[in-house]
Amino acid sequence: MIEGVYVGWEAVRECFSLDPAVAYLNHGAFGAVPLSVQRAQQRLRDEVEADPVRFYSVGLTERVAHTRRHLATFLGADPDASALVGNTTIGVATVLNSLDLREGDEIVTTEHGYGAVRLAVEAVCARTGARHRTVPLPLAPTDDEVVAGITEAVTGRTRLVIVDQITSPTARLFPVARVVAALRPADVPVLVDAAHVPGQIPVDVTALDAAFWTGNLHKWAFAPRGTALLAVSPEWRERIRPLVVSWEQPAGFPANVEWQGTLDYTAWLAAPTALFTLRTLGVEVVRAHNAELAGYGQRAVAAALGGDAPTGAPGLAMRIVPLPGGLAGDLAGAARLRQRIADELGVEVAVNPYRDRGLLRLSAQVYNRAEEYDRLAQRLPGLIATLA
């Protein structure tokens, strides 16, 4: 038993349909949906199939708007300045689609950014002639290093800065409010990639005052996969171009972003049940439990590998453990190692390359137990030895 971890979590495991033979230590990848939320979504699917015309034709936009108000309020965002989207990557793509980029313009990201976002930026730059500038940062940068690195990379041609609130491959908490404030005098818009924020840490989107903020609710807020929010500042709302033009185009933002005809809206409509589940368990209690357990897992695995791990932010439920040099140093190698850990050890983890070195990322959620991290710590060195 870990000090500070509530003993009742063993019973909570029964609220999920995860395979008991697998230690699922990778909640940060795709989340895990509680049974209560699965059932709520299934009832909505049954409603669709009972009368599809009625479901899509009578009051659906109002139901989506009601859900958006519920989720936005939880995140401290303005419901009328937010739109539901399928995931953070779609939120980023929507913002990129709304920029009038020209040859020589620049988009700034950091070395800690998510791979799919990097690919999206590179694609829009290739199409428009804009330039992608990547800010190099240490594995465990200080807040001052993050702010200085980004601000020094900004030029008179910078049209957008994308910064992670919680970085995906490196599990760092970045000072996004400071970045936004530092760039405000230069009138450079900031897009906050908050894929891992909703549910994991407290957030007040309005107070951040970024031009754009987008985060998933299907990771740490128990929502069905395909549920995310894109918040947009007042000066940008009229300029948002949806990725799909639909019958709600004349309505403008946010309805023109949300409505995509026969999209499966049941994930969004079931999301309030997810927040109810989270609140029932106790939002702060869950956060404290997850952060404590993630720290325990990081220490156990790092010690087993004979090394130290970067100190993570106290409130994060994701931690990283650097792997031995030369292991999983690229995407292909990281994918192979992750699969071997899953197949041979029965443990799901994330493995990401960073500067030619692999990083093992561990997550913690209410269904996890300390013994699962201990099992990984005991068996991972033997697996790695076979790769030497």
Side-chain angles (χ1 to χ4, degrees):
M1 177 64 194
I2 307 169
E3 182 179 357
V5 177
Y6 175 51
V7 294
W9 294 126
E10 184 65 31
V12 175
R13 289 173 59 85
E14 299 177 6
C15 298
F16 295 82
S17 53
L18 292 165
D19 184 349
V22 176
Y24 194 72
L25 310 183
N26 194 11
H27 188 89
F30 302 105
V33 183
L35 287 166
S36 60
V37 183
Q38 294 182 41
R39 290 164 182 158
Q41 186 178 14
Q42 186 57 52
R43 288 192 293 270
L44 288 160
R45 287 173 173 150
D46 292 342
E47 179 186 346
V48 175
E49 299 308 325
D51 192 338
V53 172
R54 181 175 182 82
F55 179 85
Y56 282 98
S57 304
V58 182
L60 181 54
T61 55
E62 290 79 7
R63 293 173 73 178
V64 169
H66 174 76
T67 296
R68 182 202 331 125
R69 287 192 291 271
H70 192 98
L71 303 186
T73 299
F74 174 72
L75 299 170
D78 179 354
D80 296 326
S82 306
L84 295 175
V85 292
N87 55 42
T88 295
T89 304
I90 293 174
V92 170
T94 302
V95 173
L96 294 175
N97 189 54
S98 303
L99 301 177
D100 292 315
L101 293 173
R102 300 177 181 179
E103 187 172 356
D105 289 344
E106 297 174 349
I107 298 176
V108 174
T109 67
T110 80
E111 201 174 7
H112 290 243
Y114 185 56
V117 171
R118 173 180 53 80
L119 292 173
V121 171
E122 290 176 353
V124 75
C125 286
R127 187 171 67 247
T128 62
R131 180 186 178 193
H132 179 200
R133 294 170 62 91
T134 303
V135 178
L137 292 170
L139 178 58
T142 65
D143 286 358
D144 288 345
E145 287 175 325
V146 173
V147 176
I150 292 173
T151 54
E152 290 169 6
V154 169
T155 73
R157 299 304 303 269
T158 303
R159 297 295 174 261
L160 182 70
V161 168
I162 304 177
V163 59
D164 298 66
Q165 193 163 1
I166 299 175
T167 64
S168 179
T170 56
R172 305 299 301 179
L173 180 64
F174 275 6
V176 292
R178 286 185 56 187
V179 172
V180 172
L183 297 181
R184 188 171 294 114
D187 197 28
V188 174
V190 176
L191 165 57
V192 177
D193 180 342
H196 289 276
V197 169
Q200 184 173 177
I201 62 172
V203 63
D204 186 337
V205 173
T206 300
L208 289 176
D209 199 27
F212 314 100
W213 182 99
T214 183
N216 295 319
L217 287 102
H218 56 246
K219 289 182 182 285
W220 301 95
F222 292 150
R225 278 168 285 279
T227 306
L229 194 81
L230 169 65
V232 179
S233 63
E235 63 270 26
W236 279 96
R237 286 170 208 163
E238 297 302 317
R239 290 186 268 178
I240 291 295
R241 299 188 187 109
L243 299 176
V244 176
V245 175
S246 71
W247 284 105
E248 288 298 316
Q249 183 68 13
F253 185 85
N256 64 348
V257 169
E258 293 173 335
W259 186 256
Q260 297 179 36
T262 52
L263 185 74
D264 183 356
Y265 298 94
T266 62
W268 296 355
L269 299 182
T273 301
L275 293 188
F276 176 81
T277 302
L278 179 58
R279 289 184 172 118
T280 299
L281 291 172
V283 178
E284 296 304 323
V285 174
V286 168
R287 286 171 177 159
H289 166 276
N290 292 348
E292 175 74 11
L293 188 55
Y296 172 85
Q298 181 191 44
R299 293 188 298 272
V301 175
L305 295 180
D308 297 322
T311 302
L316 293 190
M318 298 193 306
R319 303 294 176 92
I320 61 166
V321 178
L323 294 168
L327 187 62
D330 56 25
L331 286 173
R336 287 193 297 270
L337 179 59
R338 187 209 65 78
Q339 193 61 55
R340 287 198 62 179
I341 293 172
D343 292 343
E344 298 176 33
L345 307 186
V347 181
E348 289 289 356
V349 296
V351 181
N352 297 295
Y354 179 84
R355 293 189 181 181
D356 300 323
R357 185 175 187 179
L359 301 177
L360 183 75
R361 193 191 72 195
L362 302 173
S363 297
Q365 190 47 274
V366 293
Y367 48 75
N368 290 129
R369 299 171 301 186
E371 306 91 89
E372 294 173 314
Y373 302 91
D374 292 336
R375 185 171 88 192
L376 177 63
Q378 292 164 4
R379 301 181 64 188
L380 183 59
L383 174 60
I384 289 177
T386 68
L387 304 175

